[in-house]
Amino acid sequence: MDDKISGMHLGSCLVGEDEITEIVERLAREISGHYESLVSEENPLLLVGILKGAVVFLSDLARALDVPVSLDFMAVSSYGASTDSSGVVRILHDLDTPIEDRHVLIVEDIVDTGLTLQYLREHFSARGPASIGVVAFLDKPDRRAVDVAVEYVGRSIPDEFVVGYGLDWNQRHRALPCVRVIEEMSSEGENG
Ligand code: IMP
Ligand code: MG
């Protein structure tokens, strides 16, 4: 699929729908196993989805988990719309829920430099939760700029910019059912 206006091109599925299902089920088993003795109907696991990219993954994961959960969301932005993270994190929407004494699991679409997560872990730690964990659907370890803990990783991928399953390029392609690499078409490339 080519986008002639933006000069971007979508590659084939890097993570297909069947693999996505397997990843979600495996993560749900690991996470349920870890939290089953810690959370209850009275004190459910608080899944914090990082908007907007984590929404698709979170909706699948929440339904696959075997422990009581509640949901909250946070919107953060690194400045600009470039495909490179700037490292400056701005809170656009904060949690509705107090997290003191709660078991909190941050749900991210992808960990790239790790700067967003490093910021979020510190931000949440200051609010006195019972525990903080992170689950990321994808990980790009080659891009890591800071050493930040990610307790659960769906899959590591090479240093490529990917879209689909919630991930966007300039707000586009979030609803693709699989994960695809997006590439810039060279100006003297094919006309197709
Ligand atoms: P980090 O702070 O560099 O780890 O950036 C993490 C955020 O950058 C993710 O939550 C995504 O919103 C965005 N991001 C990083 N890599 C990609 C990608 O390949 N596709 C889409 N968004 C990405
Ligand atoms: Mg994000």
Side-chain angles (χ1 to χ4, degrees):
M1 199 191 305
D2 290 350
D3 186 333
K4 293 198 179 100
I5 298 166
S6 64
M8 301 305 273
H9 162 88
L10 289 183
S12 59
C13 288
L14 179 66
V15 191
E17 291 180 65
D18 290 347
E19 186 178 354
I20 290 174
T21 304
E22 285 169 24
I23 289 170
V24 170
E25 285 172 0
R26 173 178 57 79
L27 290 172
R29 276 196 304 276
E30 292 175 14
I31 293 166
S32 300
H34 177 76
Y35 287 100
E36 69 185 343
S37 61
L38 301 173
V39 301
S40 62
E41 291 294 345
E42 294 69 41
N43 183 25
L45 176 63
L46 180 62
L47 299 180
V48 174
I50 309 304
L51 296 172
K52 304 169 192 167
V55 161
V56 178
F57 173 48
L58 181 139
S59 71
D60 282 347
L61 181 69
R63 289 176 293 171
L65 287 170
D66 248 343
V67 290
V69 297
S70 52
L71 309 183
D72 205 344
F73 296 92
M74 188 146 171
V76 297
S77 169
S78 42
Y79 289 94
S82 101
T83 53
D84 265 316
S85 299
S86 66
V88 183
V89 177
R90 184 167 49 131
I91 294 181
L92 305 176
H93 174 81
D94 210 340
L95 301 177
D96 296 332
T97 323
I99 62 168
E100 202 178 344
D101 299 329
R102 299 289 305 273
H103 291 282
V104 177
L105 184 64
I106 299 172
V107 182
E108 257 287 32
D109 50 2
I110 189 165
V111 186
D112 187 37
T113 63
L115 288 162
T116 306
L117 263 188
Q118 173 173 264
Y119 174 83
L120 288 172
R121 289 194 84 114
E122 284 169 11
H123 181 79
F124 285 14
S125 294
R127 299 183 186 181
S131 70
I132 301 178
V134 172
V135 56
F137 175 63
L138 296 177
D139 185 16
K140 286 198 272 195
D142 296 347
R143 293 263 308 162
R144 198 73 88 256
V146 288
D147 187 17
V148 63
V150 184
E151 282 77 4
Y152 305 95
V153 171
R155 201 191 121 163
S156 294
I157 61 167
D159 180 10
E160 305 265 20
F161 200 83
V162 292
V163 295
Y165 198 61
L167 292 144
D168 75 305
W169 176 79
N170 285 351
Q171 302 304 323
R172 309 255 325 259
H173 309 303
R174 289 195 196 275
L176 286 175
C178 74
V179 174
R180 294 177 186 268
V181 175
I182 190 163
E183 292 149 357
E184 219 160 328
M185 290 191 289
S186 72
S187 48
E188 65 223 89
E190 299 137 43
N191 296 323

